[in-house]
Structure formats: structure tokens, C-alpha cells
Amino acid sequence: SSATLNVEQFREYLGGAPVVRVPGRAFPVDVYHSKKRQTMTRYGPASRDYVEAAVEVAAQIEASQPEGHVLIFLTGQDEIEKACQMLRERCGSARVLPLYGALPREAADAVFDEEDAESRRKMVVATNIAET
């Protein structure tokens, strides 16, 4: 099911097409927020300090938590690439991966690789595409 789509109405629009239901999976998640105050304007954050704040929180997780992957949501490709560069410098043992719509398929698929999954932490920096 979809949070935004009226399935029956859409099905009728498509001439009574069959509906295929695919169950989702849920995973336990801990949510961390930066305590750094961000000034917002009607166009979004007043500065790009939020990228540095997100990297700082991820670096703290890397230093203090023994296991678990990290998913960081940012607004766009530029912020994601900047954060990935900063994370690679600060968290050298983690596998840092970007994820956004314009990323080539091979690079996007790397997020789902099982390589090093048990022995190496993944840090995925993504737009809301990661929600799907």
C-alpha cells in the first residue's frame, strides 16, 4: 500500500488492473540529531553548517558505537558529496556511500552490496530516495 495513493481509484483508472501487494520490511533504527542550532529561512537552512553537523554526529557514532550502519539524510547531491568526502577523511574505516537520483546505477547498487557488511560499517549519505 502507499501512503499517498488511493489504490482502488488508481486501479479503476487503469481499467480494473490487478493489484500486486509487496510486503515491506522494517528494521530497528536509532535516531540521532545534532544539538547544533540551525537557522532556517523560508528557503531552507541559512548556511551549510548542517552538513558539518551531520558529519560530526556520524563521526561520534563511529567512535562510540561498536556496530551498526549509519544512514544520513541530506537535501541534494552537492551536500551529499561534501559529506561523503568529510566522512572519508574522519571515519577512514567505514565504507562511505552516496545515494541520490542522478547517481549511476552501479554506484547506487553499491549501497546494497553485502561486501564487508559484517566487518565494516556502512555510512550511506542519501536524499529521501533512500526511503523507497
Side-chain angles (χ1 to χ4, degrees):
S1 76
S2 169
T4 58
L5 179 72
N6 181 330
V7 175
E8 286 305 315
Q9 185 178 23
F10 197 66
R11 185 177 93 81
E12 288 174 23
Y13 176 78
L14 295 174
V19 175
V20 177
R21 299 192 188 276
V22 178
R25 295 182 292 174
F27 297 94
V29 174
D30 293 324
V31 178
Y32 296 87
H33 295 276
S34 171
K35 294 186 189 294
K36 228 180 223 181
R37 185 173 172 84
Q38 301 294 323
T39 303
M40 298 297 287
T41 70
R42 63 186 248 196
Y43 303 107
S47 73
R48 297 221 172 180
D49 290 347
Y50 66 94
V51 175
E52 292 174 18
V55 168
E56 185 177 312
V57 170
Q60 289 172 355
I61 292 168
E62 173 70 8
S64 65
Q65 302 294 321
E67 59 185 33
H69 302 300
V70 175
L71 175 60
I72 301 168
F73 286 108
L74 294 174
T75 58
Q77 180 176 343
D78 291 340
E79 291 90 352
I80 289 169
E81 292 296 347
K82 178 181 177 184
C84 285
Q85 178 183 359
M86 294 168 69
L87 284 166
R88 287 182 186 111
E89 292 169 2
R90 291 186 64 177
C91 305
S93 63
R95 185 168 181 213
V96 179
L97 301 164
L99 183 61
Y100 49 86
L103 200 63
R105 182 171 178 93
E106 296 86 32
D109 287 348
V111 170
F112 303 105
D113 285 349
E114 294 296 323
E115 172 194 338
D116 298 328
E118 295 299 317
S119 63
R120 191 171 175 200
R121 173 174 284 159
K122 282 186 194 176
M123 291 188 167
V124 177
V125 187
T127 61
N128 61 352
I129 194 172
E131 294 177 328
T132 59

